Amino acid sequence: MRRAVLSVASILVFSAILTFFPGGYFTAILLYFVLFFGVSILMGVRSYRRGMATVQEVSKGRPIIEIDEKEVNKLLEKDKELVNEYKKMVRGSFLPMLTLPLFILLATFLFPTLPPATESALGPSIGKLPARFLSYVAVFGIFALISMATFKPPTAPRIVRSLKVYDAGLVIDKSLGLKAPIEVADYKVSEERRFIEFKLNNQIFRIYYRDIKELDSVLSKLVKPLKQ
């Protein structure tokens, strides 16, 4: 929700700027992407800090299971299906890269042509500046729709390299704390491949362990189905 509000706000701000400075659309595009990546980095830093604060809180609980990276690596070597999964992920990662030329072509075509056309069509009825503003909103809106369609949240599972299970929650990879009860979706147990997988928000976590039944019995007490 926060990302959607920020996206709409940035579209309106940059459209307003270009309404009065129409010749600087390449600068506006650059600033738009700088803002996008800057906000993503800022949100990542804030998420990391919150995760570390929860790590300290969860670590005060009673330890139950600890999984280290060496054990995980051994189980990964035995998971023959993992290679096929990575191949599919690599193929899917090329889609956002292919859209970059599309953005360039659209920017080169739309910015010089759409505002004058909109001003000619709507200017006499609503005014020249409002018509120009609406044209830039339309352009940035097209960019936003393409971004939403191609730059989707990652569906590839995050393989947990180290895990500490406490009665108060989980500490994942020493930097992410999840306090129990943990509301998860799509809880999945694969005894053959020796992992448990669950979805939290838009991230899928996959935990490998030698005794998957033991891990399931412990995790099932810490997690609960997400309320729909």
Side-chain angles (χ1 to χ4, degrees):
M1 181 63 182
R2 186 178 300 176
R3 286 180 180 272
V5 172
L6 182 62
S7 179
V8 172
S10 62
I11 288 173
L12 296 177
V13 169
F14 283 111
S15 297
I17 293 173
L18 287 178
T19 298
F20 296 98
F21 304 97
Y25 57 85
F26 277 117
T27 302
I29 295 172
L30 178 61
L31 291 175
Y32 181 81
F33 284 106
V34 168
L35 176 64
F36 175 80
F37 287 110
V39 170
S40 298
I41 293 172
L42 178 62
M43 293 180 66
V45 171
R46 292 183 60 184
S47 178
Y48 174 78
R49 289 177 177 174
R50 288 197 300 267
M52 288 302 297
T54 310
V55 165
Q56 296 178 1
E57 186 176 356
V58 171
S59 298
K60 296 178 182 178
R62 178 176 60 86
I64 303 175
I65 292 177
E66 182 173 355
I67 306 173
D68 60 25
E69 190 170 359
K70 291 182 179 179
E71 179 181 349
V72 173
N73 289 337
K74 290 179 181 179
L75 294 172
L76 287 175
E77 292 175 359
K78 298 177 181 179
D79 188 357
K80 305 303 180 183
E81 294 295 323
L82 191 60
V83 176
N84 294 329
E85 286 188 33
Y86 279 136
K87 288 181 180 178
K88 292 180 181 178
M89 288 182 237
V90 170
R91 287 195 294 266
S93 66
F94 281 113
L95 180 59
M97 296 176 61
L98 294 175
T99 60
L100 183 58
L102 177 61
F103 274 113
I104 297 174
L105 289 174
L106 284 174
T108 304
F109 172 74
L110 290 177
F111 278 108
T113 59
L114 187 58
T118 306
E119 289 179 32
S120 299
L122 300 179
S125 58
I126 66 174
K128 185 177 180 180
L129 290 180
R132 187 186 301 171
F133 174 77
L134 291 177
S135 69
Y136 286 121
V137 169
V139 173
F140 283 113
I142 291 172
F143 288 157
L145 289 174
I146 295 175
S147 299
M148 289 169 54
T150 56
F151 295 92
K152 296 181 179 179
T155 55
R158 170 179 172 176
I159 296 176
V160 177
R161 295 291 177 172
S162 68
L163 177 73
K164 290 185 178 180
V165 182
Y166 298 87
D167 60 356
L170 309 178
V171 175
I172 294 175
D173 295 334
K174 302 178 183 179
S175 61
L176 176 62
L178 302 178
K179 188 177 179 181
I182 307 165
E183 290 190 340
V184 304
D186 302 328
Y187 186 87
K188 172 184 175 183
V189 180
S190 177
E191 293 187 18
E192 182 180 355
R193 297 175 63 184
R194 303 251 182 112
F195 70 73
I196 290 178
E197 193 173 271
F198 60 82
K199 186 175 183 180
L200 181 65
N201 298 325
N202 290 323
Q203 179 68 68
I204 299 173
F205 294 91
R206 180 179 293 181
I207 304 171
Y208 284 86
Y209 190 55
R210 60 181 180 274
D211 190 341
I212 206 65
K213 291 184 178 180
E214 177 190 4
L215 181 62
D216 180 38
S217 65
V218 173
L219 290 184
S220 60
K221 299 175 182 177
L222 301 176
V223 303
K224 65 178 182 178
L226 181 65
K227 295 179 179 179
Q228 301 296 331

